[in-house]
Each structure stands twice: as structure tokens, then as C-alpha cells.
Amino acid sequence: MSNDLDKPRQGIQSIEVGARLLRALANSGRPTMLRDLAKDAGMPAAKAHRYLVSFVRMGLVEQDPASSRYALGPFALELGLACLGRLDPVRIAGPILDELCEAIQETVALAVWGNRGPTIVRLAEPPGPINVTLRAGTVLPLTTSATGRAFSAFLRSPALKRIADDEMKSLAAATPGLTLAELKRDFEASQSEAKENGVGRASGSLSPGVNGFSAPVFDYTGEMVAAVTTLGAVGHLDSRVDSAPITALKDAAEQLSSLLGHAATPL
């Protein structure tokens, strides 16, 4: 017995056609002339004009009376903000983490900024004997973990400097022969490297013989909201920043950023 849900649903073709104009406006990123919108939407200018008249009445589009150019209107903004407000990076990240884990066969995780620092909130682990175990809820070091270094490089937070300073003072006090000045130099170098390569990197900070990499995730405001991290044993996880696994890691972070409304720009 066939299910009605399996049948193609009949829509309203005129709405679908008109949506091509809205997409053309969104893609243009600036007020646009009628002829250019019509061309981008693949329809005659006269037809495009009729749709635009209706869209202006609805508030989806507005027209500058001086230049006659069209732009997205206040109702379009209202719809966009309502959609963005419902985005949850932790929920959205699930399939992306699973796909990345399967592709690179390493432990991958999503971290967000918690009240005590970078906190693991979601994990995907590969089958087999070679994997690195993390737990949801783990708070990672800010200055010595790959995830912490990614947050340090890309997150704007007044708490960062205080947490980093406290970590380095404690580590210097607990490690004979290691000075605070040396730790600060290493930390500053790691931040510069992360900004240059678009990924935080650390070795042996969580477990001896383990490499970690972490790429930032941004939302529609351009703020860092999460980090996608992978951990793998030295000799198993290629540690070059341009290697296939790390490129896949960065691509996954960019994909998640895109789903959160971030317009990609060079890091």
C-alpha cells in the first residue's frame, strides 16, 4: 500500500519562481537593478517586476526611490533572524562529526566555551584499537591543548587572559626548570601559528604521544562559538597542517560555520 508521504507533493509554481528573485537578491549582497535581478533569476524583466511589486508590499523586498535598486526588506530580515535564533551548533554538528570521524578514522569532538574554559560537549569515536578517549564535560587546558589554543586565537572573551595566566603560573610552579617567561613565549607562538594556519595544534598535552588539532567554528555574527577537534596517536595522525586529515578537519569546521550562517572569510 502506497503512502501519501512518498508521493511528490504539489506546490505553487509561482511562489517557487518568485523565490528565484529572493535568492538572487540574497546572493548579490547589495542593492541591485531590476535588469540584473531578472537576469540572475532567469526571467524577463517585466515578469520579475510583477513579483517584486508583491514582495515590496509584503516587506520581503524594498526599493530605493532614488536609485530604483532593490534590496531585501525588513520582513526578510525578520525571517532570517528567526531562523538564526533556532540554530544549535551542538545539534547540527552531530552528522558532521560522524562523517569526519569516518573519513579520518580518528577521535573527533565538538567543544564550546564553558564557564571554566573549553568544554567537550559531543564526541565521535572510530572503531578499532587506535583511538583516544575523551568524555563529554571534560574541560581542556587553554594554553596547552589544541582546543584551548584554537579558542585563545579566535575567541574574543575578557576571561581568556585571566585563565591563561592562571594556567601558566600553576604549570611553571609545578614544573622544575620551566619558567613563566618560557611558557608565555610558547603560548604566544602557538596563537600566532593557529591564526596563520586556521587550526590550533598541540602534542602530548592530554596524553603522551598524542597529537591534537582544533579548528574554530563561527556563527553569523563572526564570533567563535565552538571548535571541532581531532586527537590521534603520533605516527598515526598526520601532524602536518596541510595533511588530508587536518584539511578535512578544517573543512568540517567551515561546513558547520556555514550552517550557522557564517560567511566564510580568509582566517
Side-chain angles (χ1 to χ4, degrees):
M1 183 176 180
S2 62
N3 190 324
D4 288 343
L5 294 177
D6 295 331
K7 298 178 180 178
R9 297 186 178 184
Q10 184 175 2
I12 301 175
Q13 186 177 10
S14 61
I15 293 178
E16 296 173 5
V17 171
R20 301 208 306 259
L21 281 169
L22 296 177
R23 185 174 296 278
L25 265 179
N27 290 337
S28 71
R30 65 184 189 281
T32 308
M33 296 294 291
L34 171 61
R35 64 174 183 272
D36 297 322
L37 281 176
K39 179 181 178 181
D40 291 342
M43 66 179 70
K47 182 178 181 179
H49 181 260
R50 292 195 297 272
Y51 278 104
L52 289 169
V53 168
S54 294
F55 288 153
V56 168
R57 290 173 181 168
M58 297 166 60
L60 281 169
V61 172
E62 59 186 10
Q63 185 181 25
D64 185 336
S67 67
S68 296
R69 294 175 181 268
Y70 292 92
L72 291 175
F75 186 39
L77 176 61
E78 185 179 339
L79 290 174
L81 290 175
C83 181
L84 289 170
R86 295 176 59 246
L87 294 178
D88 177 6
V90 179
R91 176 182 59 83
I92 296 172
I96 296 175
L97 294 183
D98 291 341
E99 184 177 341
L100 176 63
C101 178
E102 183 177 354
I104 67 176
Q105 289 296 297
E106 300 287 359
T107 297
V108 298
L110 184 77
V112 300
W113 184 257
N115 59 359
R116 293 188 295 145
T119 306
I120 299 294
V121 292
R122 192 152 192 163
L123 288 163
E125 296 179 304
I130 301 178
N131 63 74
V132 180
T133 302
L134 287 173
R135 290 185 303 134
T138 300
V139 179
L140 299 171
L142 186 63
T143 59
T144 57
S145 71
T147 307
R149 288 174 174 179
F151 275 100
S152 297
F154 299 104
L155 179 68
R156 292 189 288 269
S157 170
L160 276 169
K161 186 177 187 308
R162 175 183 57 79
I163 296 175
D165 286 345
D166 289 345
E167 278 188 16
M168 288 185 286
K169 288 176 183 177
S170 297
L171 185 57
T175 310
L178 189 60
T179 67
L180 182 59
E182 290 173 328
L183 288 173
K184 287 185 175 181
R185 283 197 300 270
D186 289 345
F187 180 52
E188 290 171 359
S190 73
Q191 288 184 294
S192 297
E193 181 187 67
K195 291 175 181 177
E196 179 181 353
N197 296 317
V199 62
R201 175 167 61 172
S203 181
S205 61
L206 296 180
S207 301
V210 172
N211 286 327
F213 294 85
S214 186
V217 175
F218 302 96
D219 68 4
Y220 64 97
T221 68
E223 292 292 325
M224 182 180 177
V225 294
V228 179
T229 297
T230 185
L231 298 172
V234 174
H236 189 262
L237 174 60
D238 193 332
S239 62
R240 296 171 300 164
V241 294
D242 60 349
S243 67
I246 309 311
T247 298
L249 171 74
K250 294 166 67 175
D251 289 345
E254 289 178 5
Q255 181 184 358
L256 181 53
S257 296
S258 179
L259 292 175
L260 294 173
H262 178 64
T265 54
L267 291 172

